[in-house]
Coordinates of all heavy atoms in Angstrom, one line a residue:
M1 N -12.2 -5.2 -2.2 CA -11.6 -5.7 -1.0 C -11.5 -4.5 0.0 O -11.1 -3.4 -0.4 CB -10.3 -6.3 -1.3 CG -9.6 -6.9 -0.1 SD -8.0 -7.6 -0.4 CE -8.2 -8.5 -1.9
H2 N -11.9 -4.8 1.2 CA -11.8 -3.8 2.2 C -10.3 -3.5 2.6 O -9.5 -4.4 2.5 CB -12.5 -4.2 3.5 CG -14.0 -4.2 3.4 ND1 -14.6 -4.5 2.2 CD2 -14.9 -4.0 4.3 CE1 -15.9 -4.4 2.4 NE2 -16.1 -4.1 3.7
P3 N -10.0 -2.2 2.9 CA -8.6 -1.9 3.2 C -8.0 -2.7 4.4 O -6.9 -3.1 4.3 CB -8.6 -0.4 3.6 CG -9.9 0.1 2.9 CD -10.8 -1.1 2.9
K4 N -8.8 -3.0 5.4 CA -8.3 -3.8 6.5 C -8.0 -5.2 6.1 O -7.1 -5.8 6.6 CB -9.3 -3.8 7.7 CG -9.4 -2.4 8.4 CD -10.2 -2.5 9.6 CE -10.2 -1.2 10.3 NZ -10.9 -1.2 11.6
T5 N -8.9 -5.8 5.2 CA -8.6 -7.1 4.7 C -7.3 -7.2 3.9 O -6.5 -8.1 4.0 CB -9.8 -7.6 3.8 OG1 -11.0 -7.5 4.6 CG2 -9.6 -9.0 3.3
E6 N -7.2 -6.2 3.0 CA -5.9 -6.1 2.2 C -4.7 -6.0 3.1 O -3.7 -6.6 2.9 CB -6.0 -4.9 1.3 CG -4.9 -4.9 0.3 CD -5.1 -3.8 -0.8 OE1 -6.1 -3.1 -0.7 OE2 -4.2 -3.6 -1.6
E7 N -4.8 -5.1 4.1 CA -3.7 -5.0 5.1 C -3.4 -6.3 5.8 O -2.2 -6.7 5.9 CB -3.9 -3.9 6.1 CG -2.8 -3.6 7.0 CD -3.0 -2.4 7.9 OE1 -4.2 -1.9 8.0 OE2 -2.1 -2.1 8.7
L8 N -4.4 -7.0 6.2 CA -4.2 -8.3 6.9 C -3.5 -9.3 5.9 O -2.6 -10.0 6.4 CB -5.6 -8.8 7.3 CG -5.5 -10.2 7.9 CD1 -4.7 -10.3 9.2 CD2 -6.9 -10.8 8.1
L9 N -3.9 -9.3 4.7 CA -3.3 -10.2 3.7 C -1.8 -9.8 3.5 O -0.9 -10.7 3.4 CB -4.0 -10.2 2.4 CG -5.4 -10.8 2.4 CD1 -6.1 -10.6 1.1 CD2 -5.3 -12.3 2.8
Y10 N -1.5 -8.6 3.4 CA -0.1 -8.1 3.3 C 0.7 -8.5 4.5 O 1.9 -9.0 4.4 CB 0.0 -6.6 3.1 CG -0.2 -6.2 1.7 CD1 -1.1 -5.1 1.4 CD2 0.3 -6.8 0.6 CE1 -1.3 -4.7 0.2 CE2 0.1 -6.4 -0.7 CZ -0.8 -5.3 -0.9 OH -1.0 -4.9 -2.2
I11 N 0.1 -8.4 5.7 CA 0.9 -8.8 6.9 C 1.1 -10.3 7.0 O 2.1 -10.7 7.4 CB 0.1 -8.2 8.2 CG1 0.2 -6.7 8.2 CG2 0.6 -8.8 9.5 CD1 -0.6 -6.0 9.3
L12 N 0.1 -11.0 6.6 CA 0.2 -12.5 6.5 C 1.3 -12.9 5.5 O 2.1 -13.8 5.8 CB -1.1 -13.2 6.2 CG -2.2 -13.2 7.3 CD1 -3.5 -13.7 6.7 CD2 -1.7 -13.9 8.5
L13 N 1.3 -12.2 4.4 CA 2.4 -12.5 3.4 C 3.8 -12.2 4.0 O 4.7 -12.9 3.8 CB 2.1 -11.7 2.1 CG 3.1 -12.0 1.0 CD1 3.0 -13.4 0.5 CD2 2.7 -11.1 -0.2
W14 N 3.9 -11.0 4.6 CA 5.1 -10.6 5.3 C 5.6 -11.7 6.3 O 6.7 -12.1 6.3 CB 5.0 -9.2 5.9 CG 6.1 -8.8 6.8 CD1 7.4 -8.6 6.5 CD2 5.9 -8.4 8.1 NE1 8.0 -8.1 7.6 CE2 7.2 -8.0 8.6 CE3 4.9 -8.4 9.0 CZ2 7.4 -7.6 9.9 CZ3 5.1 -8.0 10.3 CH2 6.4 -7.6 10.7
T15 N 4.6 -12.1 7.1 CA 5.0 -13.1 8.2 C 5.4 -14.4 7.6 O 6.4 -15.0 8.0 CB 3.7 -13.3 9.1 OG1 3.4 -12.0 9.6 CG2 4.1 -14.2 10.2
C16 N 4.7 -14.9 6.6 CA 5.0 -16.1 5.9 C 6.4 -16.1 5.3 O 7.1 -17.0 5.3 CB 3.9 -16.5 4.9 SG 2.4 -17.0 5.6
E17 N 6.7 -15.0 4.6 CA 8.0 -14.8 4.0 C 9.1 -14.8 5.0 O 10.1 -15.4 4.9 CB 8.1 -13.6 3.1 CG 9.4 -13.4 2.4 CD 9.4 -12.2 1.5 OE1 8.4 -11.9 0.9 OE2 10.5 -11.5 1.5
S18 N 8.8 -14.2 6.2 CA 9.9 -14.1 7.2 C 10.1 -15.5 7.8 O 11.2 -15.9 8.1 CB 9.4 -13.2 8.3 OG 9.2 -11.9 7.9
L19 N 9.0 -16.3 8.0 CA 9.2 -17.6 8.6 C 9.7 -18.6 7.6 O 10.3 -19.6 8.0 CB 7.9 -18.0 9.2 CG 7.4 -17.2 10.4 CD1 6.0 -17.7 10.8 CD2 8.4 -17.2 11.5
S20 N 9.4 -18.5 6.3 CA 9.8 -19.5 5.4 C 11.3 -19.3 5.0 O 12.0 -20.2 4.6 CB 9.0 -19.4 4.1 OG 9.2 -18.2 3.4
Q21 N 11.8 -18.1 5.2 CA 13.2 -17.8 4.9 C 13.8 -17.1 6.1 O 14.0 -15.9 6.1 CB 13.4 -16.9 3.6 CG 12.8 -17.6 2.4 CD 12.8 -16.6 1.3 OE1 13.1 -15.4 1.4 NE2 12.3 -17.1 0.1
P22 N 14.1 -17.8 7.2 CA 14.5 -17.2 8.4 C 16.0 -16.7 8.4 O 16.8 -17.3 9.0 CB 14.3 -18.3 9.5 CG 14.5 -19.5 8.7 CD 14.0 -19.3 7.3
T23 N 16.2 -15.6 7.8 CA 17.5 -14.9 7.8 C 17.4 -13.8 8.9 O 16.3 -13.4 9.3 CB 17.8 -14.3 6.5 OG1 16.9 -13.3 6.1 CG2 17.9 -15.3 5.4
V24 N 18.5 -13.2 9.3 CA 18.5 -12.2 10.3 C 17.7 -11.0 9.8 O 16.9 -10.4 10.5 CB 20.0 -11.8 10.6 CG1 20.0 -10.5 11.5 CG2 20.7 -12.9 11.3
R25 N 17.9 -10.6 8.5 CA 17.1 -9.5 7.9 C 15.6 -9.7 7.9 O 14.9 -8.9 8.3 CB 17.6 -9.1 6.5 CG 16.9 -7.9 6.0 CD 17.3 -7.6 4.6 NE 16.6 -8.5 3.7 CZ 16.7 -8.4 2.4 NH1 17.5 -7.6 1.8 NH2 16.1 -9.3 1.6
N26 N 15.2 -10.9 7.5 CA 13.8 -11.2 7.4 C 13.2 -11.3 8.8 O 12.0 -10.9 8.9 CB 13.6 -12.6 6.7 CG 13.7 -12.5 5.2 OD1 13.8 -11.4 4.7 ND2 13.8 -13.6 4.6
L27 N 13.9 -11.7 9.8 CA 13.3 -11.8 11.1 C 13.3 -10.5 11.9 O 12.5 -10.3 12.8 CB 14.0 -12.9 12.0 CG 13.9 -14.3 11.4 CD1 14.7 -15.2 12.2 CD2 12.4 -14.7 11.4
T28 N 14.1 -9.5 11.5 CA 14.2 -8.3 12.2 C 13.7 -7.1 11.5 O 13.5 -6.0 12.1 CB 15.7 -8.0 12.6 OG1 16.5 -7.9 11.4 CG2 16.3 -9.0 13.5
E29 N 13.4 -7.2 10.2 CA 12.9 -6.0 9.4 C 11.5 -5.7 9.7 O 10.7 -6.6 10.0 CB 13.2 -6.2 7.9 CG 12.2 -7.0 7.2 CD 12.4 -7.0 5.7 OE1 13.0 -6.1 5.2 OE2 12.0 -8.0 5.1
S30 N 11.1 -4.5 9.6 CA 9.7 -4.1 9.9 C 8.8 -4.3 8.6 O 9.3 -4.6 7.5 CB 9.7 -2.6 10.2 OG 10.0 -1.8 9.1
F31 N 7.5 -4.2 8.8 CA 6.6 -4.4 7.7 C 6.8 -3.3 6.7 O 6.8 -3.6 5.5 CB 5.2 -4.3 8.3 CG 4.1 -4.4 7.2 CD1 3.9 -5.5 6.5 CD2 3.5 -3.2 6.8 CE1 2.9 -5.6 5.5 CE2 2.5 -3.2 5.8 CZ 2.3 -4.4 5.1
E32 N 7.1 -2.1 7.1 CA 7.3 -1.0 6.1 C 8.6 -1.3 5.3 O 8.6 -1.0 4.1 CB 7.5 0.3 6.9 CG 6.2 0.8 7.5 CD 5.8 0.1 8.8 OE1 6.7 -0.6 9.4 OE2 4.7 0.3 9.3
S33 N 9.6 -1.8 5.9 CA 10.8 -2.2 5.1 C 10.5 -3.3 4.1 O 11.0 -3.2 3.0 CB 11.9 -2.7 6.1 OG 12.3 -1.7 6.9
W34 N 9.8 -4.2 4.5 CA 9.4 -5.3 3.6 C 8.5 -4.8 2.5 O 8.7 -5.1 1.3 CB 8.6 -6.4 4.3 CG 8.1 -7.4 3.4 CD1 8.7 -8.5 2.9 CD2 6.8 -7.5 2.9 NE1 7.9 -9.2 2.1 CE2 6.7 -8.6 2.1 CE3 5.6 -6.7 3.0 CZ2 5.5 -9.0 1.4 CZ3 4.5 -7.0 2.3 CH2 4.4 -8.2 1.5
A35 N 7.6 -3.9 2.8 CA 6.7 -3.3 1.7 C 7.5 -2.5 0.7 O 7.3 -2.6 -0.5 CB 5.7 -2.4 2.4
Y36 N 8.5 -1.8 1.2 CA 9.4 -1.0 0.3 C 10.2 -1.9 -0.5 O 10.3 -1.7 -1.8 CB 10.3 -0.1 1.1 CG 11.2 0.7 0.3 CD1 10.7 1.9 -0.4 CD2 12.5 0.4 0.1 CE1 11.5 2.6 -1.2 CE2 13.4 1.1 -0.7 CZ 12.9 2.2 -1.4 OH 13.7 3.0 -2.2
R37 N 10.8 -2.9 0.1 CA 11.6 -3.9 -0.6 C 10.8 -4.7 -1.7 O 11.2 -5.0 -2.7 CB 12.3 -4.8 0.3 CG 13.3 -5.7 -0.3 CD 14.1 -6.5 0.8 NE 13.3 -7.2 1.8 CZ 12.8 -8.4 1.6 NH1 13.0 -9.0 0.5 NH2 12.1 -8.9 2.6
S38 N 9.5 -4.9 -1.3 CA 8.7 -5.7 -2.2 C 8.1 -4.9 -3.4 O 7.5 -5.4 -4.3 CB 7.5 -6.3 -1.4 OG 8.0 -7.2 -0.5
G39 N 8.3 -3.6 -3.3 CA 7.9 -2.7 -4.5 C 6.5 -2.2 -4.4 O 6.0 -1.7 -5.3
L40 N 5.9 -2.2 -3.2 CA 4.5 -1.7 -3.1 C 4.5 -0.2 -3.3 O 3.6 0.3 -3.9 CB 3.9 -2.1 -1.7 CG 3.8 -3.6 -1.5 CD1 3.3 -3.8 -0.1 CD2 2.8 -4.2 -2.5
L41 N 5.5 0.5 -2.8 CA 5.5 2.0 -2.9 C 5.8 2.3 -4.4 O 5.2 3.3 -4.9 CB 6.6 2.6 -2.0 CG 6.4 2.4 -0.5 CD1 7.5 3.0 0.2 CD2 5.1 3.0 -0.1
R42 N 6.5 1.5 -5.1 CA 6.8 1.8 -6.5 C 5.5 1.6 -7.3 O 5.2 2.4 -8.2 CB 7.8 0.8 -7.0 CG 8.3 1.1 -8.4 CD 9.4 0.2 -8.9 NE 9.9 -0.8 -8.0 CZ 9.7 -2.1 -8.1 NH1 9.0 -2.6 -9.1 NH2 10.2 -3.0 -7.2
Q43 N 4.7 0.6 -6.9 CA 3.4 0.4 -7.6 C 2.4 1.6 -7.3 O 1.7 2.0 -8.2 CB 2.8 -0.9 -7.2 CG 3.6 -2.1 -7.7 CD 3.1 -3.4 -7.1 OE1 2.1 -3.4 -6.4 NE2 3.8 -4.5 -7.4
I44 N 2.5 2.1 -6.1 CA 1.6 3.2 -5.8 C 2.0 4.4 -6.6 O 1.2 5.2 -7.1 CB 1.7 3.5 -4.3 CG1 0.9 2.4 -3.5 CG2 1.1 4.9 -3.9 CD1 1.0 2.6 -2.0
R45 N 3.3 4.7 -6.7 CA 3.8 5.8 -7.6 C 3.4 5.6 -9.0 O 3.0 6.6 -9.7 CB 5.3 5.9 -7.5 CG 5.8 6.7 -6.3 CD 7.2 7.1 -6.4 NE 8.1 6.0 -6.7 CZ 8.7 5.2 -5.8 NH1 8.5 5.4 -4.5 NH2 9.5 4.3 -6.2
E46 N 3.4 4.4 -9.5 CA 3.0 4.1 -10.9 C 1.5 4.4 -11.1 O 1.1 5.1 -12.1 CB 3.3 2.7 -11.2 CG 2.8 2.2 -12.6 CD 3.8 2.6 -13.7 OE1 5.0 2.8 -13.3 OE2 3.4 2.6 -14.8
L47 N 0.7 4.0 -10.2 CA -0.8 4.3 -10.3 C -1.0 5.8 -10.1 O -1.9 6.3 -10.8 CB -1.5 3.5 -9.2 CG -1.5 2.0 -9.3 CD1 -2.2 1.4 -8.1 CD2 -2.3 1.6 -10.6
E48 N -0.3 6.5 -9.3 CA -0.4 7.9 -9.2 C 0.0 8.6 -10.5 O -0.7 9.6 -10.9 CB 0.4 8.4 -8.0 CG 0.2 9.9 -7.7 CD 1.0 10.3 -6.5 OE1 2.0 9.6 -6.1 OE2 0.6 11.3 -5.8
H49 N 1.0 8.2 -11.1 CA 1.5 8.8 -12.3 C 0.5 8.6 -13.4 O 0.3 9.5 -14.3 CB 2.8 8.1 -12.7 CG 3.4 8.7 -14.0 ND1 3.9 10.0 -14.1 CD2 3.6 8.2 -15.2 CE1 4.3 10.2 -15.3 NE2 4.1 9.1 -16.0
K50 N -0.2 7.5 -13.4 CA -1.3 7.2 -14.4 C -2.5 8.0 -14.2 O -3.5 8.0 -15.0 CB -1.6 5.7 -14.5 CG -0.5 4.9 -15.1 CD -0.9 3.4 -15.1 CE 0.2 2.6 -15.8 NZ -0.2 1.1 -15.8
G51 N -2.6 8.6 -13.0 CA -3.8 9.3 -12.6 C -4.9 8.5 -12.1 O -6.1 8.9 -12.0
L52 N -4.6 7.3 -11.6 CA -5.7 6.4 -11.1 C -5.9 6.6 -9.6 O -7.0 6.2 -9.1 CB -5.3 4.9 -11.4 CG -5.2 4.6 -12.9 CD1 -4.8 3.2 -13.1 CD2 -6.5 4.9 -13.7
I53 N -4.9 7.1 -8.9 CA -5.0 7.3 -7.5 C -4.4 8.7 -7.2 O -3.7 9.3 -8.0 CB -4.3 6.3 -6.6 CG1 -2.8 6.2 -6.9 CG2 -5.0 4.9 -6.8 CD1 -2.1 5.4 -5.9
E54 N -4.7 9.2 -6.0 CA -4.1 10.5 -5.5 C -3.7 10.3 -4.1 O -4.4 9.6 -3.3 CB -5.1 11.6 -5.7 CG -6.4 11.5 -4.9 CD -7.3 12.6 -5.1 OE1 -7.1 13.4 -6.1 OE2 -8.3 12.7 -4.4
R55 N -2.6 10.8 -3.7 CA -2.1 10.7 -2.3 C -2.1 12.1 -1.7 O -1.8 13.1 -2.3 CB -0.6 10.2 -2.3 CG -0.5 8.8 -2.7 CD 0.9 8.3 -2.4 NE 1.9 8.9 -3.2 CZ 3.2 8.7 -3.1 NH1 3.7 7.9 -2.2 NH2 4.0 9.4 -3.9
T56 N -2.5 12.1 -0.4 CA -2.5 13.3 0.3 C -1.9 13.0 1.7 O -2.1 11.8 2.2 CB -3.9 13.9 0.5 OG1 -4.7 13.0 1.2 CG2 -4.5 14.3 -0.8
S57 N -1.2 13.9 2.3 CA -0.7 13.7 3.6 C -0.7 15.1 4.3 O -0.3 16.1 3.7 CB 0.7 13.0 3.7 OG 1.6 13.9 3.0
P58 N -1.1 15.1 5.6 CA -1.1 16.4 6.3 C 0.4 16.8 6.5 O 1.3 16.0 6.5 CB -1.8 16.1 7.6 CG -1.7 14.6 7.7 CD -1.6 14.0 6.4
P59 N 0.6 18.1 6.8 CA 1.9 18.5 7.1 C 2.5 17.8 8.4 O 1.7 17.6 9.3 CB 1.8 20.0 7.3 CG 0.4 20.3 7.4 CD -0.4 19.2 6.8
P60 N 3.7 17.5 8.4 CA 4.3 16.7 9.5 C 4.3 17.6 10.8 O 4.5 18.8 10.7 CB 5.7 16.4 9.1 CG 6.0 17.3 8.0 CD 4.7 17.7 7.4
Q61 N 3.9 17.0 11.9 CA 3.9 17.7 13.2 C 5.0 17.0 14.1 O 5.1 15.8 14.1 CB 2.6 17.6 13.8 CG 1.5 18.3 13.0 CD 0.1 18.2 13.7 OE1 0.0 17.5 14.7 NE2 -0.9 18.8 13.1
R62 N 5.7 17.8 14.8 CA 6.7 17.2 15.6 C 6.2 16.3 16.7 O 5.3 16.6 17.4 CB 7.5 18.4 16.3 CG 8.7 18.0 17.0 CD 9.4 19.1 17.6 NE 10.6 18.6 18.2 CZ 11.6 19.4 18.6 NH1 11.5 20.7 18.4 NH2 12.6 18.9 19.2
G63 N 6.8 15.1 16.7 CA 6.4 14.1 17.7 C 5.1 13.4 17.4 O 4.7 12.5 18.2
K64 N 4.5 13.6 16.3 CA 3.3 12.9 16.0 C 3.4 12.1 14.7 O 4.2 12.5 13.8 CB 2.1 13.8 15.8 CG 1.7 14.5 17.1 CD 0.4 15.3 16.9 CE -0.1 15.9 18.2 NZ -1.3 16.5 18.1
R65 N 2.8 11.0 14.6 CA 2.8 10.1 13.4 C 1.9 10.7 12.3 O 0.8 11.2 12.6 CB 2.3 8.7 13.8 CG 2.4 7.8 12.6 CD 2.0 6.4 13.1 NE 2.0 5.6 11.9 CZ 1.0 4.7 11.6 NH1 0.0 4.5 12.5 NH2 1.0 4.0 10.5
V66 N 2.4 10.7 11.1 CA 1.6 11.3 10.0 C 1.0 10.2 9.2 O 1.6 9.2 8.8 CB 2.6 12.1 9.0 CG1 1.8 12.6 7.8 CG2 3.2 13.3 9.8
D67 N -0.3 10.2 9.1 CA -1.1 9.2 8.4 C -1.2 9.7 7.0 O -1.7 10.8 6.7 CB -2.4 8.9 9.0 CG -2.4 8.3 10.3 OD1 -1.4 7.5 10.5 OD2 -3.2 8.5 11.2
R68 N -0.9 8.8 6.0 CA -1.1 9.2 4.6 C -2.4 8.6 4.1 O -2.9 7.6 4.6 CB 0.0 8.5 3.8 CG 1.4 9.1 4.1 CD 2.4 8.5 3.2 NE 3.7 9.0 3.7 CZ 4.6 8.3 4.2 NH1 4.4 7.0 4.4 NH2 5.8 8.8 4.6
L69 N -3.0 9.3 3.1 CA -4.3 8.9 2.6 C -4.1 8.7 1.1 O -3.6 9.6 0.4 CB -5.3 10.0 2.9 CG -6.7 9.8 2.4 CD1 -7.3 8.6 3.1 CD2 -7.6 11.0 2.7
V70 N -4.6 7.6 0.6 CA -4.5 7.3 -0.8 C -6.0 7.0 -1.3 O -6.7 6.2 -0.7 CB -3.7 6.0 -1.1 CG1 -3.6 5.7 -2.6 CG2 -2.2 6.2 -0.6
R71 N -6.4 7.7 -2.3 CA -7.8 7.6 -2.8 C -7.8 7.3 -4.3 O -6.9 7.7 -5.0 CB -8.6 8.9 -2.5 CG -8.8 9.2 -1.1 CD -9.7 10.4 -1.0 NE -9.9 10.7 0.4 CZ -10.5 11.8 0.8 NH1 -10.9 12.6 0.0 NH2 -10.6 12.0 2.1
L72 N -8.8 6.6 -4.7 CA -9.0 6.4 -6.1 C -9.6 7.7 -6.7 O -10.4 8.4 -6.2 CB -10.1 5.3 -6.4 CG -9.7 3.9 -6.3 CD1 -10.9 3.0 -6.5 CD2 -8.7 3.6 -7.4
T73 N -9.1 8.1 -7.9 CA -9.6 9.2 -8.6 C -10.9 8.7 -9.4 O -11.2 7.5 -9.4 CB -8.6 9.8 -9.6 OG1 -8.2 8.7 -10.5 CG2 -7.4 10.3 -8.9
E74 N -11.6 9.6 -10.0 CA -12.7 9.2 -10.8 C -12.3 8.3 -12.0 O -13.0 7.2 -12.2 CB -13.4 10.4 -11.4 CG -14.7 10.1 -12.1 CD -15.8 9.5 -11.2 OE1 -15.8 9.8 -10.0 OE2 -16.6 8.7 -11.7
S75 N -11.2 8.6 -12.6 CA -10.8 7.7 -13.7 C -10.3 6.3 -13.1 O -10.4 5.3 -13.8 CB -9.7 8.3 -14.5 OG -8.5 8.6 -13.7
G76 N -9.7 6.3 -11.9 CA -9.3 5.1 -11.3 C -10.5 4.2 -10.9 O -10.5 3.0 -11.1
R77 N -11.6 4.9 -10.5 CA -12.8 4.1 -10.1 C -13.4 3.5 -11.4 O -13.7 2.3 -11.4 CB -13.8 5.1 -9.5 CG -15.0 4.4 -9.0 CD -16.0 5.3 -8.3 NE -16.6 6.2 -9.2 CZ -17.7 5.9 -9.9 NH1 -18.2 4.7 -9.8 NH2 -18.2 6.7 -10.7
L78 N -13.4 4.3 -12.5 CA -13.9 3.7 -13.7 C -13.0 2.6 -14.3 O -13.5 1.6 -14.8 CB -14.1 4.8 -14.8 CG -15.3 5.7 -14.6 CD1 -15.2 6.9 -15.6 CD2 -16.6 5.0 -14.6
H79 N -11.7 2.7 -14.1 CA -10.8 1.7 -14.5 C -11.0 0.4 -13.7 O -11.0 -0.7 -14.3 CB -9.4 2.2 -14.4 CG -8.4 1.2 -14.9 ND1 -8.1 1.0 -16.2 CD2 -7.5 0.4 -14.2 CE1 -7.2 0.1 -16.4 NE2 -6.8 -0.3 -15.1
A80 N -11.2 0.6 -12.4 CA -11.5 -0.6 -11.5 C -12.8 -1.3 -11.9 O -12.9 -2.5 -11.7 CB -11.4 -0.2 -10.1
L81 N -13.7 -0.5 -12.4 CA -15.0 -1.1 -12.7 C -15.1 -1.5 -14.2 O -16.2 -1.8 -14.7 CB -16.2 -0.1 -12.4 CG -16.4 0.3 -10.9 CD1 -17.3 1.4 -10.8 CD2 -16.9 -1.0 -10.2
H82 N -14.0 -1.5 -14.9 CA -13.8 -1.9 -16.3 C -14.7 -1.0 -17.2 O -15.3 -1.5 -18.1 CB -14.2 -3.4 -16.5 CG -13.4 -4.3 -15.7 ND1 -12.1 -4.6 -16.0 CD2 -13.7 -5.0 -14.6 CE1 -11.6 -5.4 -15.1 NE2 -12.5 -5.7 -14.2
G83 N -14.7 0.3 -16.8 CA -15.4 1.3 -17.7 C -16.9 1.4 -17.6 O -17.5 2.1 -18.3
R84 N -17.5 0.6 -16.7 CA -18.9 0.6 -16.4 C -19.2 1.4 -15.2 O -18.7 1.1 -14.1 CB -19.5 -0.8 -16.4 CG -19.4 -1.5 -17.7 CD -19.9 -2.9 -17.5 NE -19.0 -3.5 -16.5 CZ -18.9 -4.8 -16.4 NH1 -19.6 -5.6 -17.1 NH2 -18.1 -5.3 -15.4
D85 N -20.1 2.3 -15.2 CA -20.5 3.1 -14.1 C -21.8 2.5 -13.6 O -22.8 2.6 -14.3 CB -20.7 4.6 -14.4 CG -20.8 5.4 -13.2 OD1 -20.7 4.9 -12.1 OD2 -21.0 6.7 -13.4
P86 N -21.9 2.0 -12.4 CA -23.1 1.3 -11.9 C -24.3 2.3 -11.7 O -25.4 1.9 -11.6 CB -22.7 0.6 -10.6 CG -21.5 1.3 -10.2 CD -20.8 1.8 -11.4
E87 N -24.0 3.6 -11.6 CA -25.0 4.6 -11.4 C -25.7 4.8 -12.7 O -26.7 5.2 -13.0 CB -24.4 5.9 -10.8 CG -23.8 5.7 -9.4 CD -23.2 6.9 -8.9 OE1 -23.3 8.0 -9.6 OE2 -22.6 6.9 -7.8

């Protein structure tokens, strides 16, 4: 799945949850708050601990947004392909 497709699906899920349960918190919280509350960051840490992904982020710069980068490791790629290397 392409990253943009996955992000779109998460945003749709966030929107649907906000509209299906219209509480003050659901209507005013950001996507990042929802993602944290939903456990996405916890799952990323779990995958990183298992050695399936690696996270990198450039040093923070004052006044600029820091983009984080998450990549599959070689073992993560093989795990995603169920142990078969197409090459």
Side-chain angles (χ1 to χ4, degrees):
M1 182 180 316
H2 287 35
K4 287 187 177 186
T5 304
E6 187 174 359
E7 183 178 4
L8 174 65
L9 291 174
Y10 281 133
I11 290 173
L12 287 174
L13 183 60
W14 168 61
T15 304
C16 289
E17 184 178 319
S18 298
L19 295 176
S20 67
Q21 301 170 358
T23 63
V24 172
R25 183 181 79 177
N26 284 347
L27 295 175
T28 59
E29 80 176 336
S30 66
F31 174 75
E32 290 79 12
S33 299
W34 173 83
Y36 179 77
R37 188 172 50 85
S38 298
L40 296 177
L41 297 177
R42 186 173 4 105
Q43 292 174 6
I44 288 175
R45 278 195 307 271
E46 178 82 22
L47 291 172
E48 187 177 23
H49 181 70
K50 289 180 179 179
L52 300 177
I53 62 171
E54 62 185 11
R55 288 191 296 176
T56 59
S57 61
Q61 296 178 356
R62 186 174 182 168
K64 291 189 177 182
R65 182 174 175 225
V66 176
D67 291 330
R68 294 183 184 111
L69 181 64
V70 179
R71 293 185 181 174
L72 278 174
T73 61
E74 184 63 29
S75 60
R77 187 178 72 80
L78 286 175
H79 183 76
L81 294 171
H82 301 288
R84 295 176 297 199
D85 191 6
E87 296 176 5

